[in-house]
Amino acid sequence: MPAAHLAILRDEPSACHKTVTRIHRLHAIRKADLMRRLTTAALAAGTTILLALTGCGASENPPATPAAKTGAEGATDSASTPATETTSPSPTASPEPTTAAPLKLGATHTWEDVDAGVSGISTALSYQQGIKSVGLAAEETGNAGYIWAALELKVCSTKGMFIATPTPWTLSYADGARIEPSSSTWDDFPKPEFPFETKLTPGKCVRGKVVFPVPGNSNPETIVYAPESAETPVEWAVPAK
């Protein structure tokens, strides 16, 4: 083989070697560039995640409330702030109405109606039970065992003019029962009868008996006088049988 051809063969391996070396270097450069890019992207992503977590932590953990002061410092603050006291009003007891003891039959009761400009004297004189009559108390009331009773009254005017009636007078029993005057006027009822209405002028009086249908087996405790103008009723005790 000629020498020139041998020289060429000797040089050919050197050219291939150079080419392979360049390829390896190119791969190394590309690999290094790829690693650099991946590292930069990872760092950027990690920074973004860290910032997001920091923001969440700040919103989920509000500022702590300052702790209460203790010791001398707390005492100073308490002393500087005036305490507020609340007092409830004391309950006021309402005065209870007083009821006078019952009067004795025959005792007078003097009264006055300031608004009407009148005054007078009222008296329960006597009480009698078991009055006889052609009319029967049991028929009037529809209750067997009822009988008639008579209450003698006297009313006088000392000032002004007013009308006296038997309406304010009732009989009161121990069980709370109240009995009003009878609506009947039999001819044989006790006389003089107390008129249903009598106009009285100063110095004038009316006197008479009012009949009541009452249970024959019991006696009233008191006679009650309670006109509309009176603040409290007045009572007369009825003697026991």
Side-chain angles (χ1 to χ4, degrees):
M1 181 177 296
H5 290 284
L6 290 174
I8 293 171
L9 291 174
R10 289 192 195 103
D11 293 340
E12 287 180 356
S14 297
C16 289
H17 179 73
K18 290 178 181 181
T19 302
V20 172
T21 300
R22 289 176 182 175
I23 292 173
H24 281 297
R25 286 180 180 177
L26 181 61
H27 279 294
I29 291 170
R30 289 180 178 178
K31 185 176 181 181
D33 183 62
L34 179 61
M35 292 300 295
R36 180 178 58 78
R37 291 181 181 182
L38 290 176
T39 302
T40 304
L43 289 174
T47 303
T48 303
I49 294 172
L50 180 60
L51 290 175
L53 291 176
T54 303
C56 292
S59 61
E60 292 178 359
N61 296 284
T65 303
K69 298 178 181 179
T70 59
E73 187 178 0
T76 303
D77 289 348
S78 299
S80 62
T81 304
T84 303
E85 292 186 7
T86 56
T87 57
S88 56
S90 301
T92 303
S94 301
E96 296 183 359
T98 56
T99 303
L103 302 173
K104 291 183 178 180
L105 288 177
T108 59
H109 166 63
T110 302
W111 53 268
E112 181 179 9
D113 185 347
V114 177
D115 294 336
V118 297
S119 62
I121 300 173
S122 300
T123 310
L125 298 172
S126 64
Y127 176 81
Q128 183 182 359
Q129 195 163 293
I131 302 298
K132 302 299 182 180
S133 174
V134 294
L136 300 177
E139 291 181 355
E140 178 177 320
T141 62
N143 295 315
Y146 268 60
I147 60 176
W148 297 115
L151 171 63
E152 187 175 7
L153 307 173
K154 183 178 181 180
V155 179
C156 301
S157 172
T158 57
K159 177 184 176 182
M161 181 185 69
F162 61 88
I163 295 176
T165 73
T167 304
W169 300 86
T170 58
L171 303 179
S172 174
Y173 286 77
D175 61 358
R178 292 289 182 96
I179 296 180
E180 298 178 344
S182 171
S183 58
S184 301
T185 54
W186 295 98
D187 290 339
D188 56 353
F189 273 178
K191 303 294 187 288
E193 293 183 30
F194 195 93
F196 184 72
E197 287 187 351
T198 304
K199 185 180 291 186
L200 295 177
T201 55
K204 299 297 182 179
C205 299
V206 60
R207 178 175 177 171
K209 294 181 179 180
V210 180
V211 177
F212 294 79
V214 299
N217 60 354
S218 61
N219 216 45
E221 281 192 334
T222 59
I223 298 161
V224 182
Y225 177 61
E228 293 183 0
S229 60
E231 293 183 359
T232 56
V234 181
E235 299 182 62
W236 285 262
V238 177
K241 290 182 179 180

